[in-house]
């Protein structure tokens, strides 16, 4: 729900979490710091998890507590997709696209979606929404033909 990049999620440390503000302060792409808001339900789960995690450790980890790699996370996502009956290839990055689309469908302006995803340019965010924009254009054309 946060729109985090996999690398941001895997690098997030326990002390990056602010449970009062429900925010993660993360080192993002391009070594830029960014603040990511976590929705309350996810924040509750995160708070419960962090009760057992010592400071200095990553929030997302392997079963032995060590740092998880992107390849391991990608494997987990692919297994979950297979269990859910999703046959098309699924990658971790798809969650960022899903977040962008869900925000757009809820009426969020492009600038807000850009901020949530931490994109430096609106054109990057617009690329994430290309599919939804194409569907909207088809709907407009279909409506115009009916009129």
């Amino acid at each position: 729900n946060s729109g985090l990049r996999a690398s941001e999620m895997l690098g997030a440390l326990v002390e990056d979490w602010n449970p009062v503000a429900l925010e993660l302060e993360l080192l993002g792409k391009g070594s830029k710091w960014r603040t990511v808001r976590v929705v309350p339900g996810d924040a509750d789960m995160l708070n419960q998890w962090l009760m057992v995690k010592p400071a200095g450790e990553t929030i997302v980890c392997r079963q032995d507590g060590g740092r998880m790699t992107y390849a391991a996370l990608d494997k987990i996502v692919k297994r979950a997709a297979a269990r859910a009956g999703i046959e098309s290839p699924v990658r971790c990055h798809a969650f960022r696209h899903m977040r962008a689309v869900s925000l757009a469908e809820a009426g969020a302006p492009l600038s807000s979606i850009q901020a949530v995803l931490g994109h430096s340019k609106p054109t990057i965010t617009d690329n994430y929404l290309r599919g939804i924009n194409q569907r909207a254009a088809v709907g407009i054309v279909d409506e115009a033909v009916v009129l």
Side-chain angles (χ1 to χ4, degrees), residues 7-147:
S7 60
E8 292 170 336
M9 185 177 71
L10 293 171
L13 300 174
V14 171
E15 54 269 23
D16 294 336
W17 173 239
N18 180 334
V20 176
L22 305 182
E23 295 174 340
L24 282 164
E25 186 72 29
L26 301 166
L27 188 59
K29 191 173 182 178
S31 297
K32 296 177 187 168
W33 287 94
R34 75 183 194 106
T35 302
V36 177
R37 179 115 170 98
V38 177
V39 297
D42 293 347
D44 292 342
M45 288 187 291
L46 185 56
N47 283 328
Q48 289 176 13
W49 170 239
L50 294 182
M51 288 172 53
V52 299
K53 293 287 292 175
E57 288 192 7
T58 56
I59 294 172
V60 177
C61 62
R62 300 186 315 243
Q63 286 183 330
D64 66 3
R67 194 175 278 257
M68 184 179 287
T69 64
Y70 180 86
L73 179 64
D74 196 49
K75 189 181 279 188
I76 291 167
V77 168
K78 287 178 190 227
R79 283 185 191 152
R83 282 195 308 271
I86 299 169
E87 295 178 13
S88 60
V90 176
R91 308 246 350 169
C92 296
H93 198 71
F95 293 104
R96 282 177 57 77
H97 287 264
M98 288 176 10
R99 182 63 176 149
V101 168
S102 70
L103 289 168
E105 288 176 341
L110 182 65
S111 59
S112 295
I113 300 169
Q114 176 186 350
V116 167
L117 297 179
H119 287 153
S120 59
K121 299 176 186 168
T123 53
I124 298 168
T125 307
D126 195 49
N127 287 337
Y128 277 57
L129 303 173
R130 184 172 291 144
I132 192 172
N133 291 339
Q134 289 170 348
R135 287 193 301 275
V138 167
I140 291 167
V141 169
D142 288 347
E143 193 173 302
V145 168
V146 171
L147 297 177

